Amino acid sequence: EIYVGRCDVMTEERILLHDVDVHREGDDGRSKEEYVQRAAQLGTWKKFDQIEIPAEAITSVRRLGDL
């Protein structure tokens, strides 16, 4: 899964995101990489007000502006 949102808190234990969209491989016919590229260009639609992601579930963190 890929989470895109505004980062509020990032610690060794968790990340707290606001105004979050979630993408799973193949959703809307897009790969994860295609989704990220489109999100960087056009933005996303908020699906959740906030999500807390535990550190053990995180494989990487990137800023959309860095793409």
Side-chain angles (χ1 to χ4, degrees), residues 8-59:
D8 181 45
V9 175
M10 186 163 67
T11 67
E12 291 182 13
E13 294 83 31
R14 68 186 177 106
I15 291 180
L16 176 63
L17 298 175
H18 293 281
D19 302 329
V20 184
D21 189 15
V22 179
H23 178 80
R24 291 168 186 83
E25 185 71 35
D27 282 356
D28 299 324
R30 292 190 184 94
S31 70
K32 290 179 182 178
E33 189 58 37
E34 290 170 329
Y35 168 80
V36 169
Q37 291 298 324
R38 182 180 167 117
Q41 292 175 349
L42 304 175
T44 63
W45 289 98
K46 175 179 89 168
K47 292 181 182 165
F48 302 96
D49 289 332
Q50 70 179 29
I51 290 182
E52 185 173 311
I53 307 164
E56 60 269 8
I58 300 168
T59 56

mmCIF file of all heavy atoms in Angstrom, residues 8-59:
data_model
loop_
_atom_site.group_PDB
_atom_site.id
_atom_site.type_symbol
_atom_site.label_atom_id
_atom_site.label_comp_id
_atom_site.label_asym_id
_atom_site.label_seq_id
_atom_site.Cartn_x
_atom_site.Cartn_y
_atom_site.Cartn_z
ATOM 1 N N ASP A 8 2.328 14.930 9.780
ATOM 2 C CA ASP A 8 2.207 15.726 10.991
ATOM 3 C C ASP A 8 3.284 15.327 12.002
ATOM 4 O O ASP A 8 3.958 16.170 12.558
ATOM 5 C CB ASP A 8 0.809 15.556 11.591
ATOM 6 C CG ASP A 8 0.609 16.384 12.840
ATOM 7 O OD1 ASP A 8 1.002 17.566 12.834
ATOM 8 O OD2 ASP A 8 0.066 15.857 13.820
ATOM 9 N N VAL A 9 3.422 14.015 12.224
ATOM 10 C CA VAL A 9 4.384 13.503 13.192
ATOM 11 C C VAL A 9 5.120 12.320 12.575
ATOM 12 O O VAL A 9 4.487 11.429 11.998
ATOM 13 C CB VAL A 9 3.681 13.033 14.494
ATOM 14 C CG1 VAL A 9 4.666 12.392 15.451
ATOM 15 C CG2 VAL A 9 2.946 14.171 15.152
ATOM 16 N N MET A 10 6.459 12.314 12.703
ATOM 17 C CA MET A 10 7.241 11.171 12.257
ATOM 18 C C MET A 10 8.253 10.848 13.355
ATOM 19 O O MET A 10 9.133 11.662 13.650
ATOM 20 C CB MET A 10 7.957 11.462 10.936
ATOM 21 C CG MET A 10 8.660 10.253 10.388
ATOM 22 S SD MET A 10 9.107 10.361 8.623
ATOM 23 C CE MET A 10 10.319 11.647 8.639
ATOM 24 N N THR A 11 8.065 9.686 13.978
ATOM 25 C CA THR A 11 8.955 9.243 15.045
ATOM 26 C C THR A 11 9.491 7.866 14.683
ATOM 27 O O THR A 11 9.133 7.300 13.649
ATOM 28 C CB THR A 11 8.209 9.159 16.396
ATOM 29 O OG1 THR A 11 7.246 8.107 16.334
ATOM 30 C CG2 THR A 11 7.536 10.473 16.753
ATOM 31 N N GLU A 12 10.308 7.307 15.544
ATOM 32 C CA GLU A 12 10.819 5.954 15.325
ATOM 33 C C GLU A 12 9.706 4.916 15.433
ATOM 34 O O GLU A 12 9.845 3.808 14.922
ATOM 35 C CB GLU A 12 11.921 5.632 16.325
ATOM 36 C CG GLU A 12 13.179 6.425 16.087
ATOM 37 C CD GLU A 12 14.291 6.064 17.051
ATOM 38 O OE1 GLU A 12 14.180 5.027 17.746
ATOM 39 O OE2 GLU A 12 15.266 6.811 17.108
ATOM 40 N N GLU A 13 8.594 5.269 16.067
ATOM 41 C CA GLU A 13 7.485 4.334 16.273
ATOM 42 C C GLU A 13 6.370 4.433 15.238
ATOM 43 O O GLU A 13 5.662 3.469 14.986
ATOM 44 C CB GLU A 13 6.852 4.534 17.660
ATOM 45 C CG GLU A 13 7.748 4.195 18.819
ATOM 46 C CD GLU A 13 8.687 5.344 19.181
ATOM 47 O OE1 GLU A 13 8.300 6.514 18.982
ATOM 48 O OE2 GLU A 13 9.805 5.065 19.633
ATOM 49 N N ARG A 14 6.198 5.638 14.634
ATOM 50 C CA ARG A 14 5.028 5.824 13.766
ATOM 51 C C ARG A 14 5.165 7.074 12.905
ATOM 52 O O ARG A 14 6.017 7.926 13.145
ATOM 53 C CB ARG A 14 3.771 5.957 14.607
ATOM 54 C CG ARG A 14 3.773 7.264 15.414
ATOM 55 C CD ARG A 14 2.612 7.348 16.368
ATOM 56 N NE ARG A 14 2.679 8.558 17.166
ATOM 57 C CZ ARG A 14 1.903 9.615 17.001
ATOM 58 N NH1 ARG A 14 0.975 9.615 16.071
ATOM 59 N NH2 ARG A 14 2.022 10.671 17.769
ATOM 60 N N ILE A 15 4.244 7.150 11.936
ATOM 61 C CA ILE A 15 4.026 8.379 11.167
ATOM 62 C C ILE A 15 2.534 8.681 11.237
ATOM 63 O O ILE A 15 1.707 7.791 11.075
ATOM 64 C CB ILE A 15 4.453 8.227 9.692
ATOM 65 C CG1 ILE A 15 5.963 8.103 9.587
ATOM 66 C CG2 ILE A 15 3.957 9.405 8.859
ATOM 67 C CD1 ILE A 15 6.464 7.942 8.161
ATOM 68 N N LEU A 16 2.224 9.941 11.484
ATOM 69 C CA LEU A 16 0.831 10.384 11.495
ATOM 70 C C LEU A 16 0.633 11.290 10.289
ATOM 71 O O LEU A 16 1.325 12.299 10.142
ATOM 72 C CB LEU A 16 0.513 11.142 12.783
ATOM 73 C CG LEU A 16 -0.896 11.731 12.872
ATOM 74 C CD1 LEU A 16 -1.950 10.619 12.857
ATOM 75 C CD2 LEU A 16 -1.036 12.590 14.116
ATOM 76 N N LEU A 17 -0.291 10.896 9.410
ATOM 77 C CA LEU A 17 -0.607 11.665 8.207
ATOM 78 C C LEU A 17 -2.015 12.232 8.304
ATOM 79 O O LEU A 17 -2.915 11.592 8.855
ATOM 80 C CB LEU A 17 -0.528 10.779 6.964
ATOM 81 C CG LEU A 17 0.816 10.143 6.631
ATOM 82 C CD1 LEU A 17 0.663 9.213 5.431
ATOM 83 C CD2 LEU A 17 1.854 11.206 6.356
ATOM 84 N N HIS A 18 -2.221 13.408 7.721
ATOM 85 C CA HIS A 18 -3.538 14.036 7.615
ATOM 86 C C HIS A 18 -3.931 14.123 6.145
ATOM 87 O O HIS A 18 -3.072 14.182 5.266
ATOM 88 C CB HIS A 18 -3.516 15.453 8.210
ATOM 89 C CG HIS A 18 -3.297 15.473 9.681
ATOM 90 N ND1 HIS A 18 -4.300 15.208 10.583
ATOM 91 C CD2 HIS A 18 -2.188 15.720 10.409
ATOM 92 C CE1 HIS A 18 -3.818 15.291 11.808
ATOM 93 N NE2 HIS A 18 -2.529 15.606 11.726
ATOM 94 N N ASP A 19 -5.245 14.169 5.879
ATOM 95 C CA ASP A 19 -5.797 14.295 4.520
ATOM 96 C C ASP A 19 -5.180 13.236 3.608
ATOM 97 O O ASP A 19 -4.514 13.525 2.622
ATOM 98 C CB ASP A 19 -5.537 15.703 3.969
ATOM 99 C CG ASP A 19 -6.140 16.783 4.855
ATOM 100 O OD1 ASP A 19 -7.175 16.506 5.493
ATOM 101 O OD2 ASP A 19 -5.578 17.888 4.919
ATOM 102 N N VAL A 20 -5.437 11.984 3.929
ATOM 103 C CA VAL A 20 -4.720 10.844 3.360
ATOM 104 C C VAL A 20 -5.490 10.163 2.234
ATOM 105 O O VAL A 20 -6.698 9.964 2.311
ATOM 106 C CB VAL A 20 -4.429 9.806 4.466
ATOM 107 C CG1 VAL A 20 -3.595 8.655 3.937
ATOM 108 C CG2 VAL A 20 -3.754 10.467 5.653
ATOM 109 N N ASP A 21 -4.747 9.763 1.210
ATOM 110 C CA ASP A 21 -5.232 8.874 0.155
ATOM 111 C C ASP A 21 -4.409 7.594 0.245
ATOM 112 O O ASP A 21 -3.233 7.626 0.614
ATOM 113 C CB ASP A 21 -5.054 9.517 -1.222
ATOM 114 C CG ASP A 21 -5.746 8.734 -2.327
ATOM 115 O OD1 ASP A 21 -6.583 7.861 -2.026
ATOM 116 O OD2 ASP A 21 -5.445 8.985 -3.502
ATOM 117 N N VAL A 22 -5.034 6.463 -0.066
ATOM 118 C CA VAL A 22 -4.363 5.161 -0.015
ATOM 119 C C VAL A 22 -4.503 4.505 -1.378
ATOM 120 O O VAL A 22 -5.578 4.524 -1.979
ATOM 121 C CB VAL A 22 -4.986 4.252 1.069
ATOM 122 C CG1 VAL A 22 -4.310 2.897 1.092
ATOM 123 C CG2 VAL A 22 -4.922 4.907 2.429
ATOM 124 N N HIS A 23 -3.408 3.926 -1.860
ATOM 125 C CA HIS A 23 -3.427 3.224 -3.153
ATOM 126 C C HIS A 23 -2.855 1.826 -2.976
ATOM 127 O O HIS A 23 -1.830 1.641 -2.326
ATOM 128 C CB HIS A 23 -2.590 3.986 -4.186
ATOM 129 C CG HIS A 23 -2.529 3.297 -5.508
ATOM 130 N ND1 HIS A 23 -3.550 3.376 -6.430
ATOM 131 C CD2 HIS A 23 -1.593 2.495 -6.049
ATOM 132 C CE1 HIS A 23 -3.231 2.661 -7.492
ATOM 133 N NE2 HIS A 23 -2.043 2.119 -7.277
ATOM 134 N N ARG A 24 -3.523 0.869 -3.582
ATOM 135 C CA ARG A 24 -3.028 -0.503 -3.623
ATOM 136 C C ARG A 24 -2.702 -0.842 -5.073
ATOM 137 O O ARG A 24 -3.356 -0.348 -5.987
ATOM 138 C CB ARG A 24 -4.065 -1.467 -3.065
ATOM 139 C CG ARG A 24 -4.252 -1.294 -1.571
ATOM 140 C CD ARG A 24 -5.472 -2.026 -1.040
ATOM 141 N NE ARG A 24 -5.705 -1.722 0.358
ATOM 142 C CZ ARG A 24 -6.342 -0.647 0.812
ATOM 143 N NH1 ARG A 24 -6.819 0.236 -0.036
ATOM 144 N NH2 ARG A 24 -6.503 -0.447 2.099
ATOM 145 N N GLU A 25 -1.694 -1.650 -5.271
ATOM 146 C CA GLU A 25 -1.259 -2.037 -6.619
ATOM 147 C C GLU A 25 -2.469 -2.444 -7.457
ATOM 148 O O GLU A 25 -3.272 -3.274 -7.038
ATOM 149 C CB GLU A 25 -0.263 -3.196 -6.538
ATOM 150 C CG GLU A 25 0.329 -3.590 -7.869
ATOM 151 C CD GLU A 25 1.316 -2.560 -8.407
ATOM 152 O OE1 GLU A 25 2.040 -1.928 -7.625
ATOM 153 O OE2 GLU A 25 1.335 -2.395 -9.644
ATOM 154 N N GLY A 26 -2.627 -1.814 -8.617
ATOM 155 C CA GLY A 26 -3.702 -2.145 -9.537
ATOM 156 C C GLY A 26 -4.982 -1.350 -9.346
ATOM 157 O O GLY A 26 -5.865 -1.410 -10.202
ATOM 158 N N ASP A 27 -5.124 -0.623 -8.231
ATOM 159 C CA ASP A 27 -6.322 0.211 -8.056
ATOM 160 C C ASP A 27 -6.446 1.154 -9.248
ATOM 161 O O ASP A 27 -5.468 1.757 -9.678
ATOM 162 C CB ASP A 27 -6.229 1.049 -6.775
ATOM 163 C CG ASP A 27 -6.526 0.265 -5.511
ATOM 164 O OD1 ASP A 27 -6.876 -0.926 -5.598
ATOM 165 O OD2 ASP A 27 -6.404 0.860 -4.418
ATOM 166 N N ASP A 28 -7.644 1.286 -9.768
ATOM 167 C CA ASP A 28 -7.919 2.170 -10.910
ATOM 168 C C ASP A 28 -7.026 1.867 -12.103
ATOM 169 O O ASP A 28 -6.730 2.746 -12.916
ATOM 170 C CB ASP A 28 -7.748 3.645 -10.511
ATOM 171 C CG ASP A 28 -8.700 4.065 -9.403
ATOM 172 O OD1 ASP A 28 -9.849 3.576 -9.405
ATOM 173 O OD2 ASP A 28 -8.309 4.875 -8.555
ATOM 174 N N GLY A 29 -6.536 0.626 -12.204
ATOM 175 C CA GLY A 29 -5.711 0.228 -13.344
ATOM 176 C C GLY A 29 -4.304 0.818 -13.329
ATOM 177 O O GLY A 29 -3.626 0.813 -14.344
ATOM 178 N N ARG A 30 -3.853 1.332 -12.185
ATOM 179 C CA ARG A 30 -2.529 1.957 -12.096
ATOM 180 C C ARG A 30 -1.609 1.164 -11.179
ATOM 181 O O ARG A 30 -2.026 0.669 -10.131
ATOM 182 C CB ARG A 30 -2.639 3.376 -11.536
ATOM 183 C CG ARG A 30 -3.315 4.339 -12.447
ATOM 184 C CD ARG A 30 -3.143 5.756 -11.912
ATOM 185 N NE ARG A 30 -3.879 6.671 -12.749
ATOM 186 C CZ ARG A 30 -5.117 7.071 -12.518
ATOM 187 N NH1 ARG A 30 -5.758 6.647 -11.462
ATOM 188 N NH2 ARG A 30 -5.719 7.895 -13.351
ATOM 189 N N SER A 31 -0.345 1.101 -11.566
ATOM 190 C CA SER A 31 0.665 0.538 -10.680
ATOM 191 C C SER A 31 0.935 1.540 -9.565
ATOM 192 O O SER A 31 0.528 2.706 -9.642
ATOM 193 C CB SER A 31 1.957 0.253 -11.441
ATOM 194 O OG SER A 31 2.584 1.477 -11.811
ATOM 195 N N LYS A 32 1.675 1.112 -8.553
ATOM 196 C CA LYS A 32 2.030 2.029 -7.463
ATOM 197 C C LYS A 32 2.860 3.192 -8.000
ATOM 198 O O LYS A 32 2.644 4.341 -7.621
ATOM 199 C CB LYS A 32 2.802 1.293 -6.374
ATOM 200 C CG LYS A 32 1.954 0.328 -5.587
ATOM 201 C CD LYS A 32 2.784 -0.389 -4.534
ATOM 202 C CE LYS A 32 1.969 -1.393 -3.779
ATOM 203 N NZ LYS A 32 2.793 -2.115 -2.788
ATOM 204 N N GLU A 33 3.807 2.905 -8.876
ATOM 205 C CA GLU A 33 4.670 3.964 -9.417
ATOM 206 C C GLU A 33 3.866 4.946 -10.269
ATOM 207 O O GLU A 33 4.070 6.155 -10.182
ATOM 208 C CB GLU A 33 5.816 3.363 -10.228
ATOM 209 C CG GLU A 33 6.861 4.375 -10.621
ATOM 210 C CD GLU A 33 7.494 5.102 -9.429
ATOM 211 O OE1 GLU A 33 7.710 4.498 -8.374
ATOM 212 O OE2 GLU A 33 7.765 6.319 -9.565
ATOM 213 N N GLU A 34 2.940 4.449 -11.079
ATOM 214 C CA GLU A 34 2.083 5.337 -11.875
ATOM 215 C C GLU A 34 1.240 6.226 -10.960
ATOM 216 O O GLU A 34 1.061 7.416 -11.225
ATOM 217 C CB GLU A 34 1.178 4.525 -12.799
ATOM 218 C CG GLU A 34 1.912 3.855 -13.926
ATOM 219 C CD GLU A 34 1.034 2.854 -14.674
ATOM 220 O OE1 GLU A 34 0.128 2.247 -14.056
ATOM 221 O OE2 GLU A 34 1.270 2.674 -15.877
ATOM 222 N N TYR A 35 0.721 5.648 -9.879
ATOM 223 C CA TYR A 35 -0.077 6.410 -8.920
ATOM 224 C C TYR A 35 0.755 7.531 -8.302
ATOM 225 O O TYR A 35 0.314 8.675 -8.221
ATOM 226 C CB TYR A 35 -0.629 5.486 -7.833
ATOM 227 C CG TYR A 35 -1.202 6.259 -6.671
ATOM 228 C CD1 TYR A 35 -2.468 6.821 -6.740
ATOM 229 C CD2 TYR A 35 -0.451 6.469 -5.525
ATOM 230 C CE1 TYR A 35 -2.986 7.564 -5.688
ATOM 231 C CE2 TYR A 35 -0.951 7.207 -4.466
ATOM 232 C CZ TYR A 35 -2.216 7.748 -4.560
ATOM 233 O OH TYR A 35 -2.709 8.492 -3.521
ATOM 234 N N VAL A 36 1.979 7.212 -7.862
ATOM 235 C CA VAL A 36 2.840 8.204 -7.223
ATOM 236 C C VAL A 36 3.169 9.333 -8.196
ATOM 237 O O VAL A 36 3.123 10.513 -7.831
ATOM 238 C CB VAL A 36 4.126 7.547 -6.671
ATOM 239 C CG1 VAL A 36 5.139 8.588 -6.250
ATOM 240 C CG2 VAL A 36 3.788 6.636 -5.510
ATOM 241 N N GLN A 37 3.489 9.005 -9.432
ATOM 242 C CA GLN A 37 3.798 10.036 -10.421
ATOM 243 C C GLN A 37 2.597 10.947 -10.653
ATOM 244 O O GLN A 37 2.735 12.172 -10.721
ATOM 245 C CB GLN A 37 4.246 9.399 -11.745
ATOM 246 C CG GLN A 37 5.596 8.725 -11.662
ATOM 247 C CD GLN A 37 6.706 9.691 -11.325
ATOM 248 O OE1 GLN A 37 6.711 10.837 -11.745
ATOM 249 N NE2 GLN A 37 7.664 9.227 -10.542
ATOM 250 N N ARG A 38 1.418 10.360 -10.768
ATOM 251 C CA ARG A 38 0.206 11.166 -10.975
ATOM 252 C C ARG A 38 -0.094 12.028 -9.743
ATOM 253 O O ARG A 38 -0.469 13.195 -9.863
ATOM 254 C CB ARG A 38 -0.971 10.259 -11.299
ATOM 255 C CG ARG A 38 -2.239 11.032 -11.567
ATOM 256 C CD ARG A 38 -3.385 10.113 -11.872
ATOM 257 N NE ARG A 38 -4.613 10.868 -11.812
ATOM 258 C CZ ARG A 38 -5.416 11.064 -12.818
ATOM 259 N NH1 ARG A 38 -5.137 10.539 -13.978
ATOM 260 N NH2 ARG A 38 -6.515 11.771 -12.681
ATOM 261 N N ALA A 39 0.076 11.459 -8.554
ATOM 262 C CA ALA A 39 -0.154 12.212 -7.317
ATOM 263 C C ALA A 39 0.803 13.393 -7.227
ATOM 264 O O ALA A 39 0.408 14.483 -6.793
ATOM 265 C CB ALA A 39 -0.001 11.297 -6.106
ATOM 266 N N ALA A 40 2.047 13.214 -7.649
ATOM 267 C CA ALA A 40 3.029 14.297 -7.614
ATOM 268 C C ALA A 40 2.651 15.412 -8.582
ATOM 269 O O ALA A 40 2.883 16.588 -8.308
ATOM 270 C CB ALA A 40 4.420 13.757 -7.936
ATOM 271 N N GLN A 41 2.046 15.058 -9.705
ATOM 272 C CA GLN A 41 1.680 16.052 -10.716
ATOM 273 C C GLN A 41 0.351 16.731 -10.422
ATOM 274 O O GLN A 41 0.217 17.943 -10.578
ATOM 275 C CB GLN A 41 1.597 15.392 -12.095
ATOM 276 C CG GLN A 41 2.923 14.942 -12.634
ATOM 277 C CD GLN A 41 2.765 14.186 -13.941
ATOM 278 O OE1 GLN A 41 1.658 13.824 -14.337
ATOM 279 N NE2 GLN A 41 3.870 13.944 -14.612
ATOM 280 N N LEU A 42 -0.654 15.947 -10.006
ATOM 281 C CA LEU A 42 -2.017 16.464 -9.916
ATOM 282 C C LEU A 42 -2.588 16.529 -8.501
ATOM 283 O O LEU A 42 -3.659 17.104 -8.302
ATOM 284 C CB LEU A 42 -2.953 15.600 -10.775
ATOM 285 C CG LEU A 42 -2.573 15.461 -12.248
ATOM 286 C CD1 LEU A 42 -3.510 14.481 -12.936
ATOM 287 C CD2 LEU A 42 -2.604 16.815 -12.929
ATOM 288 N N GLY A 43 -1.916 15.899 -7.542
ATOM 289 C CA GLY A 43 -2.463 15.824 -6.193
ATOM 290 C C GLY A 43 -3.354 14.605 -6.038
ATOM 291 O O GLY A 43 -3.450 13.766 -6.925
ATOM 292 N N THR A 44 -4.012 14.498 -4.892
ATOM 293 C CA THR A 44 -4.867 13.344 -4.596
ATOM 294 C C THR A 44 -6.195 13.814 -4.019
ATOM 295 O O THR A 44 -6.347 14.972 -3.640
ATOM 296 C CB THR A 44 -4.194 12.419 -3.556
ATOM 297 O OG1 THR A 44 -4.027 13.140 -2.343
ATOM 298 C CG2 THR A 44 -2.864 11.894 -4.051
ATOM 299 N N TRP A 45 -7.137 12.881 -3.919
ATOM 300 C CA TRP A 45 -8.396 13.120 -3.225
ATOM 301 C C TRP A 45 -8.299 12.493 -1.851
ATOM 302 O O TRP A 45 -7.905 11.340 -1.716
ATOM 303 C CB TRP A 45 -9.571 12.492 -3.987
ATOM 304 C CG TRP A 45 -9.879 13.203 -5.250
ATOM 305 C CD1 TRP A 45 -9.473 12.851 -6.500
ATOM 306 C CD2 TRP A 45 -10.636 14.396 -5.400
ATOM 307 N NE1 TRP A 45 -9.931 13.752 -7.422
ATOM 308 C CE2 TRP A 45 -10.658 14.723 -6.770
ATOM 309 C CE3 TRP A 45 -11.302 15.231 -4.506
ATOM 310 C CZ2 TRP A 45 -11.314 15.840 -7.258
ATOM 311 C CZ3 TRP A 45 -11.962 16.338 -5.008
ATOM 312 C CH2 TRP A 45 -11.968 16.626 -6.361
ATOM 313 N N LYS A 46 -8.638 13.243 -0.831
ATOM 314 C CA LYS A 46 -8.596 12.748 0.542
ATOM 315 C C LYS A 46 -9.634 11.654 0.732
ATOM 316 O O LYS A 46 -10.810 11.838 0.414
ATOM 317 C CB LYS A 46 -8.858 13.901 1.504
ATOM 318 C CG LYS A 46 -8.958 13.480 2.949
ATOM 319 C CD LYS A 46 -9.195 14.660 3.859
ATOM 320 C CE LYS A 46 -10.659 14.915 4.018
ATOM 321 N NZ LYS A 46 -10.987 15.851 5.091
ATOM 322 N N LYS A 47 -9.178 10.502 1.249
ATOM 323 C CA LYS A 47 -10.095 9.420 1.608
ATOM 324 C C LYS A 47 -10.253 9.296 3.123
ATOM 325 O O LYS A 47 -11.245 8.764 3.598
ATOM 326 C CB LYS A 47 -9.601 8.091 1.037
ATOM 327 C CG LYS A 47 -9.678 8.022 -0.473
ATOM 328 C CD LYS A 47 -9.214 6.692 -0.989
ATOM 329 C CE LYS A 47 -9.270 6.681 -2.511
ATOM 330 N NZ LYS A 47 -8.529 5.569 -3.083
ATOM 331 N N PHE A 48 -9.231 9.752 3.864
ATOM 332 C CA PHE A 48 -9.243 9.667 5.323
ATOM 333 C C PHE A 48 -8.755 10.985 5.908
ATOM 334 O O PHE A 48 -7.832 11.598 5.369
ATOM 335 C CB PHE A 48 -8.317 8.542 5.812
ATOM 336 C CG PHE A 48 -8.673 7.192 5.264
ATOM 337 C CD1 PHE A 48 -8.025 6.703 4.145
ATOM 338 C CD2 PHE A 48 -9.653 6.428 5.857
ATOM 339 C CE1 PHE A 48 -8.352 5.458 3.622
ATOM 340 C CE2 PHE A 48 -9.990 5.188 5.345
ATOM 341 C CZ PHE A 48 -9.343 4.698 4.225
ATOM 342 N N ASP A 49 -9.350 11.398 7.028
ATOM 343 C CA ASP A 49 -8.899 12.614 7.706
ATOM 344 C C ASP A 49 -7.481 12.436 8.243
ATOM 345 O O ASP A 49 -6.656 13.327 8.142
ATOM 346 C CB ASP A 49 -9.829 12.995 8.848
ATOM 347 C CG ASP A 49 -11.165 13.510 8.350
ATOM 348 O OD1 ASP A 49 -11.212 14.062 7.227
ATOM 349 O OD2 ASP A 49 -12.162 13.359 9.076
ATOM 350 N N GLN A 50 -7.228 11.276 8.851
ATOM 351 C CA GLN A 50 -5.881 10.997 9.335
ATOM 352 C C GLN A 50 -5.670 9.492 9.452
ATOM 353 O O GLN A 50 -6.622 8.739 9.633
ATOM 354 C CB GLN A 50 -5.576 11.682 10.650
ATOM 355 C CG GLN A 50 -6.307 11.140 11.849
ATOM 356 C CD GLN A 50 -5.906 11.877 13.109
ATOM 357 O OE1 GLN A 50 -5.535 13.040 13.075
ATOM 358 N NE2 GLN A 50 -5.985 11.210 14.238
ATOM 359 N N ILE A 51 -4.409 9.097 9.332
ATOM 360 C CA ILE A 51 -4.019 7.697 9.492
ATOM 361 C C ILE A 51 -2.699 7.673 10.246
ATOM 362 O O ILE A 51 -1.790 8.460 9.958
ATOM 363 C CB ILE A 51 -3.854 6.986 8.130
ATOM 364 C CG1 ILE A 51 -5.213 6.805 7.463
ATOM 365 C CG2 ILE A 51 -3.152 5.642 8.297
ATOM 366 C CD1 ILE A 51 -5.168 6.071 6.145
ATOM 367 N N GLU A 52 -2.608 6.757 11.193
ATOM 368 C CA GLU A 52 -1.359 6.526 11.916
ATOM 369 C C GLU A 52 -0.779 5.209 11.412
ATOM 370 O O GLU A 52 -1.451 4.175 11.458
ATOM 371 C CB GLU A 52 -1.631 6.460 13.413
ATOM 372 C CG GLU A 52 -0.385 6.349 14.224
ATOM 373 C CD GLU A 52 -0.662 6.455 15.709
ATOM 374 O OE1 GLU A 52 -1.367 7.404 16.117
ATOM 375 O OE2 GLU A 52 -0.172 5.592 16.440
ATOM 376 N N ILE A 53 0.448 5.252 10.926
ATOM 377 C CA ILE A 53 1.092 4.067 10.358
ATOM 378 C C ILE A 53 2.235 3.661 11.278
ATOM 379 O O ILE A 53 3.156 4.449 11.515
ATOM 380 C CB ILE A 53 1.634 4.364 8.948
ATOM 381 C CG1 ILE A 53 0.531 4.948 8.067
ATOM 382 C CG2 ILE A 53 2.217 3.098 8.326
ATOM 383 C CD1 ILE A 53 1.034 5.623 6.826
ATOM 384 N N PRO A 54 2.206 2.420 11.796
ATOM 385 C CA PRO A 54 3.294 1.973 12.667
ATOM 386 C C PRO A 54 4.592 1.797 11.870
ATOM 387 O O PRO A 54 4.567 1.440 10.693
ATOM 388 C CB PRO A 54 2.800 0.643 13.226
ATOM 389 C CG PRO A 54 1.723 0.199 12.304
ATOM 390 C CD PRO A 54 1.163 1.422 11.636
ATOM 391 N N ALA A 55 5.715 2.059 12.521
ATOM 392 C CA ALA A 55 7.016 2.019 11.856
ATOM 393 C C ALA A 55 7.286 0.675 11.184
ATOM 394 O O ALA A 55 7.869 0.638 10.088
ATOM 395 C CB ALA A 55 8.121 2.339 12.858
ATOM 396 N N GLU A 56 6.863 -0.414 11.776
ATOM 397 C CA GLU A 56 7.140 -1.732 11.189
ATOM 398 C C GLU A 56 6.409 -1.951 9.863
ATOM 399 O O GLU A 56 6.779 -2.831 9.095
ATOM 400 C CB GLU A 56 6.849 -2.858 12.181
ATOM 401 C CG GLU A 56 5.432 -2.932 12.675
ATOM 402 C CD GLU A 56 5.180 -2.129 13.949
ATOM 403 O OE1 GLU A 56 6.054 -1.375 14.403
ATOM 404 O OE2 GLU A 56 4.059 -2.259 14.471
ATOM 405 N N ALA A 57 5.405 -1.141 9.568
ATOM 406 C CA ALA A 57 4.670 -1.247 8.305
ATOM 407 C C ALA A 57 5.244 -0.333 7.223
ATOM 408 O O ALA A 57 4.786 -0.357 6.088
ATOM 409 C CB ALA A 57 3.199 -0.929 8.528
ATOM 410 N N ILE A 58 6.259 0.463 7.554
ATOM 411 C CA ILE A 58 6.810 1.454 6.625
ATOM 412 C C ILE A 58 8.097 0.923 5.997
ATOM 413 O O ILE A 58 9.009 0.505 6.706
ATOM 414 C CB ILE A 58 7.093 2.781 7.355
ATOM 415 C CG1 ILE A 58 5.803 3.327 7.946
ATOM 416 C CG2 ILE A 58 7.754 3.787 6.410
ATOM 417 C CD1 ILE A 58 6.011 4.466 8.919
ATOM 418 N N THR A 59 8.145 0.936 4.665
ATOM 419 C CA THR A 59 9.371 0.518 3.982
ATOM 420 C C THR A 59 10.173 1.706 3.483
ATOM 421 O O THR A 59 11.393 1.617 3.369
ATOM 422 C CB THR A 59 9.062 -0.421 2.798
ATOM 423 O OG1 THR A 59 8.164 0.228 1.911
ATOM 424 C CG2 THR A 59 8.465 -1.720 3.294
#
